Amino acid sequence: MRVCLIGAGLSGLATAHALKSAGIEFVCLEQAPDVGGIWRRPQAGERGPGYLSLHLNTAKDLTGYAGFPMPASYPTYPRHSDVAAYLRSFAEWAGVLDHVETGTTVESVRQEEDGTWTVDSLDAGGARASRSFTHVVVASGHNSEPSLPAPPPGSATFTGRILHALDYHDGAEFAGQDVVVVGLGASAVDIAADLSRHAARTLLSVRRGLHVLPKQLFGMPLDEIARAPWWSAMSLAEQRRFVEQALLVIRGRLADYGLPEPDHPLFASAVTISDELLSRIRHGAITPKPAIERFDGDRVVFADGTSERADAVVHCTGYRMSFPFLPAGCPVGPQGSVELYKRVVAADRPGLYFVGLVRPLGSITRLVEAQSRWIARLVTGDAVLPEPEVMHKEIATHLAGIAGQYGQTEGASIQVNVEPYLRELGEV
């Protein structure tokens, strides 16, 4: 009974620990030269969704693994290098490093007629391997393929540099320049705040308003609130009122900062967590602007008719889920939603599981640990899946509920509420 685990970041290491603890034979294939996922890339200078100013925006107590807390010397929100060092020390503590093949790229994963899985891989030396497994667990993350808007008119003749957050590394590279950051998600506000300490001017182009939350409310990290029984006991309407009132007290209206007000209720879309954005705007270090309409030489023309000279435009417009090594249509279905039973199991592909394809309010760690333990029980036979039609019904019910709150999009389909989801996995 062999398991192929793909990825050795936070989710992959949690899975490796669960498999080893259950006595399951497995190998973990990791494309990078070391474990740690996106957290080790900034210091290594590698291309990826990480940058030198990257910090956790979830608290260390719930972002660290349950059986191996982050060091007491760490701040509440550690920087990327601290998290990378912690993940490697966890891998050593859990005794899983011997199971990890680094520098190994998975090229294809396919199911054979007998139900086994064939995994083709390429190692750092250029040697190819084809191996058979009874189960495959995908924990490779999904922030790898940049999502870019259609190029505005004039893009081809813009004299500045246009890049995606995937290629952003350090604000010092833009010292003295005029830079436009596009977006209002986590990467956009982080990168804008970083640039504002180096660039001559930092403009933040926002097409659609999002709810911006601080990392803490009433002195409590959002992670702790999301796990608190009193929070789970509230209805969605009560949760919204609670947070909305707190936000009015803390920062007032977003329009007062020059940002568009959200066109949707709180928790009807992903929220943006930042302690810096609004402060940097108030200090004049970041200037909000509307959407980009077109380019004109070295100038960016915005939807309100104003224009600004720019040396660079950084698109922080998110990522598309990309699993090029998997069969087409898995796990993203024809409607653009992730279709997995309990957000883990591919209903029509026995033996294929996913870890980390969830987006909670707060830390993901407890969720991926619960997913990993459930997968281990499925592999050993201590847990059994229902028939495919039952799984498809659960998937449809989940997506219908998500569509009612968030809309039917790829990103929305992975939204989960922490405590209810842990109950689904039998972890509460």
Side-chain angles (χ1 to χ4, degrees):
M1 180 183 295
R2 298 195 69 215
V3 176
C4 179
L5 170 60
I6 302 173
L10 186 145
S11 296
L13 292 177
T15 308
H17 179 42
L19 295 174
K20 183 176 175 66
S21 298
I24 297 169
E25 182 187 1
F26 73 97
V27 62
C28 178
L29 306 183
E30 168 56 51
Q31 186 174 15
D34 201 356
V35 302
I38 66 170
W39 297 102
R40 54 162 298 281
R41 289 182 181 176
Q43 205 69 32
E46 296 173 1
R47 183 174 188 256
Y51 30 87
L52 282 182
S53 63
L54 180 65
H55 283 69
L56 280 180
N57 62 8
T58 55
K60 70 170 183 179
D61 289 344
L62 286 175
T63 306
Y65 299 108
F68 189 79
M70 287 192 183
S73 60
Y74 277 18
T76 303
Y77 301 100
R79 73 190 305 267
H80 62 83
S81 55
D82 290 333
V83 179
Y86 164 75
L87 291 174
R88 195 171 207 292
S89 64
F90 170 78
E92 293 170 354
W93 171 82
V96 299
L97 285 176
D98 289 346
H99 294 264
V100 182
E101 294 182 12
T102 57
T104 302
T105 301
V106 174
E107 295 187 316
S108 70
V109 175
R110 62 187 183 276
Q111 192 167 28
E112 307 295 348
E113 290 184 3
D114 62 0
T116 60
W117 290 89
T118 298
V119 177
D120 296 328
S121 60
L122 176 70
D123 70 17
R128 284 188 161 80
S130 184
R131 287 173 275 188
S132 180
F133 299 91
T134 54
H135 301 80
V136 173
V137 183
V138 179
S140 56
H142 55 275
N143 291 339
S144 58
E145 186 175 322
S147 176
L148 286 163
S155 298
T157 57
F158 176 57
T159 59
R161 180 185 177 196
I162 299 176
L163 65 154
H164 187 270
L166 191 72
D167 295 301
Y168 179 89
H169 185 63
D170 184 9
E173 298 169 6
F174 300 84
Q177 298 184 21
D178 299 325
V179 185
V180 178
V181 178
V182 180
L184 193 59
S187 295
V189 299
D190 274 2
I191 288 174
D194 183 38
L195 279 167
S196 71
R197 293 177 172 85
H198 301 276
R201 291 194 72 200
T202 301
L203 308 175
L204 183 65
S205 172
V206 181
R207 176 182 60 83
R208 179 183 182 230
L210 294 175
H211 292 277
V212 179
L213 275 63
K215 293 181 179 180
Q216 297 188 338
L217 290 176
F218 302 106
M220 293 179 62
L222 294 182
D223 315 70
E224 293 182 11
I225 292 175
R227 287 218 63 183
W230 56 264
W231 174 261
S232 299
M234 289 183 179
S235 66
L236 177 60
E238 289 170 333
Q239 291 174 344
R240 282 174 171 158
R241 279 197 301 272
F242 175 83
V243 176
E244 286 167 352
Q245 291 301 310
L247 293 178
L248 282 175
V249 172
I250 293 167
R251 47 99 166 142
R253 299 170 64 249
L254 291 175
D256 296 335
Y257 298 82
L259 294 169
E261 290 288 343
D263 60 2
H264 55 281
L266 188 64
F267 305 135
S269 181
V271 299
T272 295
I273 298 174
S274 175
D275 282 343
E276 288 198 278
L277 173 66
L278 302 183
S279 174
R280 299 301 287 170
I281 290 175
R282 279 284 164 88
H283 285 82
I286 296 174
T287 302
K289 300 293 287 186
I292 295 176
E293 187 174 88
R294 59 188 172 87
F295 292 96
D296 185 7
D298 65 349
R299 302 188 71 80
V300 178
V301 182
F302 298 95
D304 61 358
T306 62
S307 69
E308 300 283 353
R309 182 191 170 281
D311 296 293
V313 175
V314 184
H315 286 282
C316 302
T317 45
Y319 299 85
R320 287 188 294 271
M321 292 187 190
S322 178
F323 302 92
F325 50 85
L326 289 176
C330 181
V332 181
Q335 302 304 314
S337 298
V338 174
E339 299 182 1
L340 295 173
Y341 175 64
K342 295 191 183 298
R343 329 290 74 79
V344 173
V345 177
D348 292 326
R349 302 182 187 276
L352 180 61
Y353 314 101
F354 294 80
V355 175
L357 277 188
V358 288
R359 181 187 292 153
L361 175 64
S363 173
I364 196 175
T365 309
R366 296 294 177 269
L367 307 188
V368 299
E369 288 184 301
Q371 290 178 330
S372 301
R373 287 189 289 266
W374 184 45
I375 290 171
R377 295 196 300 273
L378 290 170
V379 172
T380 60
D382 292 332
V384 179
L385 292 170
E387 294 298 317
E389 57 266 25
V390 176
M391 292 192 279
H392 281 296
K393 184 176 180 180
E394 187 273 347
I395 293 169
T397 300
H398 168 75
L399 292 178
I402 286 294
Q405 182 175 343
Y406 295 98
Q408 192 168 355
T409 65
E410 181 183 82
S413 63
I414 62 174
Q415 294 283 157
V416 295
N417 295 319
V418 175
E419 290 302 297
Y421 183 59
L422 288 174
R423 284 196 293 272
E424 280 189 53
L425 298 178
E427 291 282 339
V428 176

